[in-house]
Amino acid sequence: MAVLLTGGAGYIGSHTALCILNAGQDVVVLDNLSNASPEALRRVSELTGKDVPLFVGDCADKDALNRVFDQYKIDQVIHFAGLKAVGESVAQPLRYYRNNLDATLTLCEVMQAHQCFDLVFSSSATVYGTIQEMPLRETFPLGCTNPYGWTKFMSEQILRDLSHADERFHVVLLRYFNPVGAHESGRIGEDPSGIPNNLMPFICQVVSGRRKELSVFGNDYPTRDGTGVRDYIHVMDLAEGHLAALAYAREHAGTEVFNLGTGVGYSVLELVHAFEEVNGVRVPYRVTPRRPGDIATCYADPAKATNLLHWEAKRSLADMCRDAWNWQKNNPNGYHEAQ
Ligand code: NAD
Ligand code: UD1
């Protein structure tokens, strides 16, 4: 039996593959490599000493998925595959809806046809939209501010409706907060293409000399120091959350949703200063106007995951900063110049 990871060559998928393999289960990956390198999985294989079969194909391609299910006995699936850049989704909404929704729909049809019913889905805290009450609980009303967010919202709804109609389905929706950092080996990590949108990879590229300085988007928010506050979570904690979700899915029919965050928010400047202190480096920055669409504060109430998944984030902000820099330092061009 193996766990299929759609989009498993990407940032969160590759770290999760490593965790699952270390827990003694087999994995198979289907990825169209639109935002990933096969090198990530080669390194997962090197770190674990286990095989990671990669099918290069699109999750919206029924034949490609059928080939995976025909060749391997898949009993559980984690569905990471999707496009994830918020700004790009505003400029190219049809591409985002087509890619992310087709992938979810096709996967569900193929799973049903192959009698595979356990599904863990990568959702996002972005489905909480602009709610101001913190911490965010799973029961809060949802609403999105961009097409990317709506694809997560709609996929959640599709999966709820499916498990309602077909009671054999066991679905776990995971709403990630802000994943950062890398595996402690420094062999796998986040490898954004082009100019990074997110804070931690941008900081890493500034410190490594690839970018001149960090723009801090606004210091007039109603927060401790005026800069935006987020719930950063170490990608290895997040990966372990998927193991817990697989175990939960095995036992529970229907759909359940969980926040995966630490429950603690840090500001942009707190993250910058932690990064400087832990790594003994300087992060040149300049305060610039707010980024349109950003909210002041966003952090999780992770109590439901603690109680029902028996999981909680263990790694500190210092761990996140150290591991992110360790990856960047050892791989200044990501997987590109890999040997
Ligand atoms: P990523 O881009 O590194 O990984 C996504 C993977 O999916 C990539 O390897 C890409 O090549 C693949 N892919 C995309 N469309 C595909 C398709 N149609 N068929 C097959 N493969 C396809 O992103 P990530 O950060 O690892 O995110 C994984 C999932 O988690 C995504 O669904 C993302 O939306 C979600 N998520 C990410 C974050 C984050 O901050 N990284 C936060 C919340 C949710
Ligand atoms: C973004 C996405 C969100 C996704 C999340 C995790 C948007 C609007 N939202 O959220 O959907 O789930 O990433 O990947 O893009 N910042 C700077 N300078 C920078 C970059 C960021 O000051 O160069 C600030 C931001 O204003 C924010 C914080 O750093 O306060 C974190 O930003 P980012 O890493 O982009 O994540 P989010 O905006 O939380």
Side-chain angles (χ1 to χ4, degrees), residues 45-115:
S45 196
E46 167 197 293
L47 288 165
T48 58
K50 310 237 169 94
D51 266 359
V52 188
L54 166 65
F55 287 74
V56 178
D58 201 287
C59 195
D61 176 353
K62 233 177 208 174
D63 294 339
L65 271 171
N66 276 326
R67 275 194 292 279
V68 180
F69 278 88
D70 288 341
Q71 211 168 314
Y72 287 87
K73 272 195 153 337
I74 306 291
D75 62 342
Q76 299 195 296
V77 179
I78 308 181
H79 181 34
F80 295 105
L83 298 172
K84 64 163 184 176
V86 172
E88 195 178 64
S89 80
V90 174
Q92 304 171 23
L94 295 182
R95 180 170 163 238
Y96 269 68
Y97 285 115
R98 172 68 70 194
N99 187 78
N100 292 2
L101 296 179
D102 261 6
T104 299
L105 290 167
T106 310
L107 175 66
C108 290
E109 286 167 358
V110 172
M111 285 178 68
Q112 206 167 28
H114 289 267
Q115 306 269 312

Side-chain angles (χ1 to χ4, degrees), residues 123-164:
S123 189
S124 167
T126 194
V127 298
Y128 293 113
T130 53
I131 296 178
Q132 304 212 343
E133 189 188 337
M134 296 292 147
L136 291 163
R137 285 201 298 275
E138 290 86 349
T139 49
F140 282 9
L142 306 181
C144 304
T145 56
N146 55 74
Y148 164 70
W150 286 115
T151 68
K152 294 299 179 190
F153 175 96
M154 290 175 190
S155 287
E156 285 197 5
Q157 189 61 43
I158 289 166
L159 296 173
R160 276 182 209 287
D161 291 343
L162 175 62
S163 72
H164 186 70

